[in-house]
């Protein structure tokens, strides 16, 4: 099951560039808001094919760079 609990409980600064911890929290907040179904339905039609590819390629690159095959399936896909 997919969950986005952080965004509902976050009370931090929501600013980027202050320190590593705040940057990480802000990134979680932004990505959880970004991936909401209603927001995606609104944004995706406005993106060019190139922009869609760039977002996909960045996420895919980071996943494959930092996760083992087992982590990818267990944590990201949740199929193991």
């Amino acid at each position: 099951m997919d969950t986005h609990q952080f965004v509902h409980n976050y009370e931090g600064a929501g600013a980027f560039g202050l320190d590593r911890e705040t940057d990480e929290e802000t990134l979680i907040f932004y990505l959880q808001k970004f991936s909401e179904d209603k927001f995606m339905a609104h944004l995706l039609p406005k993106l060019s094919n190139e922009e869609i590819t760039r977002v996909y390629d960045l996420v895919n690159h980071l996943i494959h760079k930092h996760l083992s095959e087992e982590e990818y399936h267990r944590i990201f896909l949740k199929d193991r």
Side-chain angles (χ1 to χ4, degrees):
M1 176 160 91
D2 294 323
T3 60
H4 284 152
Q5 295 305 311
F6 183 88
V7 70
H8 299 295
N9 302 314
Y10 183 58
E11 296 180 1
F16 205 79
L18 297 176
D19 56 63
R20 175 67 187 233
E21 181 180 2
T22 304
D23 288 353
E24 290 178 4
E25 292 171 350
T26 300
L27 185 58
I28 295 169
F29 179 85
Y30 269 54
L31 290 174
Q32 288 186 358
K33 296 298 281 183
F34 186 81
S35 67
E36 288 181 345
D37 292 347
K38 190 173 183 178
F39 181 73
M40 281 283 98
H42 182 79
L43 179 66
L44 284 173
K46 298 176 181 218
L47 298 181
S48 68
N49 290 346
E50 180 186 341
E51 290 170 324
I52 290 172
T53 299
R54 287 174 54 201
V55 171
Y56 176 81
D57 286 347
L58 173 61
V59 172
N60 195 45
H61 168 76
L62 293 171
I63 287 170
H64 286 90
K65 179 178 180 181
H66 296 286
L67 297 180
S68 68
E69 186 74 16
E70 189 277 330
E71 289 171 320
Y72 171 73
H73 283 277
R74 180 175 48 85
I75 299 170
F76 184 73
L77 295 180
K78 299 179 183 89
D79 66 0
R80 291 189 185 164

